[in-house]
Amino acid sequence: MATFPSSSSGFAFILLFLMTLLSSLIVSHQQPLLDSTEQDSVYEVLSSINSAIPWRTLFPDDLCLSAPHGIVCDYFFEQPNYVSSTLPQTAHVTELNFGYVSDYTPNPPCSPNSTLNSLLFTSFKYLRKLFFYKCFTETTVVVPNVSSSSFGANLEELVFVENPTLVGSLSGIIGNFTNLRRLVLTGNGVSGNIPDRIGDLVNIEEITLSRNHLTGNVPFSLSKLKKLRILDLSQNHFDGNVPESIGNLSQILKLDLSFNGFFGKIPYSLVNLQILEFLDLSFNRFGNFGVPLFLGEMPRLKEMYFSGNLLGGHIPEIWEKLGGISGIGFSDMGLVGKIPPSMGVYLRNLCYLRLDNNKLEGEVPEELWFLEFVNEINLENNNLSGRIPLSATFTAKVDEKFKLQGNSGLCIDEGFGSSKNEGSLEKLKLCNKSDIPNPVLFKEYNSVSSLSSVQVLSSPHGLITLGFYFLLLWYVQR
Ligand SMILES: *[C@@H]1O[C@H](CO)[C@@H](O)[C@H](O)[C@H]1NC(C)=O
Ligand SMILES: *[C@@H]1O[C@H](CO)[C@@H](O)[C@H](O)[C@H]1NC(C)=O
Ligand SMILES: *[C@@H]1O[C@H](CO)[C@@H](O)[C@H](O)[C@H]1NC(C)=O
Ligand SMILES: *[C@@H]1O[C@H](CO)[C@@H](O)[C@H](O)[C@H]1NC(C)=O
Ligand SMILES: *[C@@H]1O[C@H](CO)[C@@H](O)[C@H](O)[C@H]1NC(C)=O
Ligand SMILES: *[C@@H]1O[C@H](CO)[C@@H](O)[C@H](O)[C@H]1NC(C)=O
C-alpha cells in the first residue's frame, strides 16, 4: 500500500513530461499553422479597420499563435490519418471581432474611416463568428450582397452592434447561413424587408434586428424557425398584421415588436407560446380589441408591454395564474373602468406597473399600495379618486415609488403630506375632514393571510358571509 502514492506520483511525472514534450513539438512545428493567404487577409482586414496601427510589425508571427484580441483560430485535422492525428495539421481563423468593447474585450479598435473589406466574405471559409461594435459611425459603408455566395457556410454568429453608417439591404447580407445561431444587427442603418429566405436559417436561436430602418411585414416563413428563442424587431418601420403563424415559434422566450407600425388584431395564436417570458408589443397601431384575455393562459410571462396601442376596454381579470409577472406596461391604451383589485392580490412579484394616461376611475385597490417589490407604479393622468391609505411608515415609500399626478379625485390626509415631501404626494389635495377614514386601511399588512381577512371585511360580499356565519353560530348555540 505504501508504494501506491509514490508510483502514482511517478506516473504523474511521466505524464507531465510527455505533455511538455508534446507541447514543445506543437510549438516547434516547422510550418506555420495558418497559411499565408489567410494570414495576409487578416492583415488586410485589420488595416481597413484601422490603418493607423502597424499590424504586421506588432504581430509578425503566425497569427494563430499570437494575434490581437478578437482574432481567434481553431485547429483542424484535415486528413483522417492516424499516424499524424495527434498533431494538428492546419489552423484557420474562426472568429473575427472588431471594435474595442471594454478592457476585458479589447478587440482591435475601429477608426472613423473603417471600411468593410470584401475579403471578409471570401477568404475565411471556416469563420464561425463575425462581430463589429461601433465600427461604422462616420463614413457610410454599404453591406455587400452575399445572398448567392457561399459566404457563411460555417458561420454561427453574425453581430453588428451600433454601426449607424452601415447601410444596405438586409436581404443582401443573409448568405448561406444553415449553421447560423445568432443574427444580431442592432443600431445600424440596414434597410429593406425581411426576406422569405429567413426561413432557411433552420438552426437560428436569436434574431435581433432592433433599431435599423427595416420595412415590410413579418414573413410567414419566419414561423418555420423551430429553434428560435429570441425575436426582436423593435424600433424599425415594420407594418402590416402580425401573422397567426407566429404562434408556431414554440421555443420562443422573448418577443419584442415594439415601436413599429404593426396594426390589426393581436394574434390569438400567441397563446401557444407557452414558455414566453417577455412580450413587448408597445407603440404600434394594434387597435380596439381590448387587452387580450389569452394572456391569462401564459403562466411563464414575466413582462408584458402594450403601451401606446389603442386597445381600449377594461383591464380584464386575468391575473390568477400570472404570479410571476414583474413588469406591466399599459400606458396610453384608452383603458376605462376600475383597476381590478385582483391585480394587487395575485401579482405579488410586481416591480413595475404603468397604467398612466388612460381613463381609469374609481379608487386605487388597497392591495396595490402594499406590494412588496414595487419599484415604480405610475397611475398619472387618469380619473382615479379616493383617499390614499397612508400610514406614516408608508408615506416615504409611496412618495418615491408612486406617480399619482393628474387624478383630480385623489386626496391625502393632512399630516402625511408634510413639508418634507417633494415627490408625488406634494401636489395632491388634502382630503375633507368629513371623509371618515376606514380604520382597516391603516393596518400595515404584509402576509397574504392578513390581506385576505382585509378583503373579507372590506367587500360587501364578505360582510354578508360574516353576518351569515354569526347567525349560524347563534343558531347552533341555541
Ligand atoms: C483613415 O484616416 C487617416 C487619417 O485621418 C489616414 O491616415 C488613414 O490612411 C485612413 N485609413 C483608411 C483605411 O482610409
Ligand atoms: C450552401 O452551403 C451548403 C453546405 O452548407 C452547400 O452545400 C451549398 O452548396 C451552399 N450554397 C451556395 C450557394 O454556396
Ligand atoms: C443580391 O444578388 C442576387 C443575385 O445576385 C439578386 O437576385 C438580389 O436581388 C440581390 N439583392 C440585393 C439586395 O441587391
Ligand atoms: C403554423 O401556423 C399556422 C396557423 O397558425 C398553421 O396553419 C400552419 O400549419 C403552421 N405551420 C407549421 C409549419 O407548423
Ligand atoms: C371622473 O369620474 C367622475 C366620477 O368619479 C365622473 O363624474 C367624471 O365625469 C369623470 N371625469 C372624466 C373626465 O371622465
Ligand atoms: C370636499 O370639499 C370640497 C369643497 O370643500 C367639495 O367640493 C367636495 O365635494 C368635497 N368632497 C367630498 C368627497 O366630500
Side-chain angles (χ1 to χ4, degrees), residues 48-63:
S48 64
I49 292 299
N50 194 329
S51 58
I53 298 174
W55 298 105
R56 281 179 199 264
T57 321
L58 288 177
F59 300 94
D61 299 326
D62 188 330
L63 287 171

Side-chain angles (χ1 to χ4, degrees), residues 84-106:
S84 58
S85 68
T86 48
L87 292 177
Q89 294 181 336
T90 172
H92 293 286
V93 175
T94 53
E95 278 189 31
L96 291 169
N97 301 278
F98 302 107
Y100 186 89
V101 178
S102 71
D103 285 351
Y104 298 101
T105 317

Side-chain angles (χ1 to χ4, degrees), residues 46-52 111-115:
L46 281 168
S47 78
S48 64
I49 292 299
N50 194 329
S51 58
S111 64
N113 52 1
S114 295
T115 57

Side-chain angles (χ1 to χ4, degrees), residues 141-201:
V141 167
V142 183
V143 296
N145 183 352
V146 297
S147 62
S148 52
S149 77
S150 62
F151 168 68
N154 291 301
L155 204 63
E156 292 170 11
E157 295 183 63
L158 183 64
V159 182
F160 285 88
V161 175
E162 310 300 338
N163 302 285
T165 58
L166 181 75
V167 302
S169 126
L170 175 66
S171 68
I173 207 175
I174 294 181
N176 192 5
F177 286 167
T178 27
N179 289 307
L180 202 67
R181 290 187 293 102
R182 296 181 69 219
L183 176 64
V184 177
L185 308 176
T186 184
N188 309 298
V190 178
S191 57
N193 299 350
I194 300 178
D196 282 336
R197 284 184 299 110
I198 197 101
D200 299 340
L201 313 190

